[in-house]
Amino acid sequence: MLRDVMSPGIDALLEQARAGLHRLTPQQTVEAVRGGALLVDTRTDLQRREQGDLPGAVVIDRTVLEWRLDPASAWRIPEATGYDREIVLVCRQGYSSSLAAASLQTLGLRRATDMIGGVDAWLAAGLPTTDRPADIRP
């Protein structure tokens, strides 16, 4: 394996990101949303077409996530009401969502986290998808 001596590698970066998160299972995610958490889906259009959309989720492209969720940003979504808002990110398998949640915590969104196993785990747990149009936030 070729790696620059100065690079810790993606596995170390992921481990570091997850060390600061209180990650949720799919069922805990459902309960968090019932309690007022914002569920944010960062999957691609293709992934969402293949796996289905999650009930109550807001879809935000990973490339603009921080701008849409930072309460101080001019480009925030209305649900970005404060730095203490609980936000649960989901991706396909729970890897990129961990990195994204750590980035949100760096912005000051201390209650940002992600769902263990991503939508793959959601589906494996038998949780529903929805036929309603996705709530996509550009």
Side-chain angles (χ1 to χ4, degrees):
M1 175 189 289
L2 180 65
R3 184 166 24 124
D4 187 306
V5 178
M6 300 303 289
S7 173
I10 188 60
D11 292 335
L13 181 63
L14 185 62
E15 183 179 336
Q16 180 183 4
R18 288 179 172 170
L21 302 176
H22 175 71
R23 303 181 75 216
L24 304 179
T25 65
Q27 191 58 46
Q28 288 171 324
T29 298
V30 170
E31 294 303 317
V33 171
R34 284 186 187 141
L38 178 63
L39 181 61
V40 178
D41 189 341
T42 64
R43 291 176 298 150
T44 65
D45 291 339
L46 177 61
Q47 290 169 340
R48 290 188 359 265
R49 277 195 304 273
E50 289 174 350
Q51 294 182 302
D53 287 304
L54 303 184
V58 172
V59 177
I60 301 176
D61 190 275
R62 176 64 190 99
T63 62
V64 296
L65 187 71
E66 289 82 359
W67 287 268
R68 299 300 179 262
L69 295 177
D70 182 355
S73 170
W75 299 281
R76 72 186 173 279
I77 62 171
E79 293 86 351
T81 55
Y83 290 100
D84 62 340
R85 177 83 197 255
E86 184 176 12
I87 300 170
V88 182
L89 302 178
V90 296
C91 66
R92 187 169 59 94
Q93 295 181 321
Y95 295 99
S96 65
S97 58
S98 293
L99 297 174
S103 178
L104 292 178
Q105 284 191 355
T106 299
L107 279 175
L109 293 158
R110 63 180 180 77
R111 295 180 68 202
T113 192
D114 76 322
M115 186 173 71
I116 299 166
V119 176
D120 283 355
W122 179 279
L123 297 173
L127 294 170
T129 57
T130 183
D131 293 333
R132 292 185 175 185
D135 185 359
I136 300 172
R137 307 296 178 91

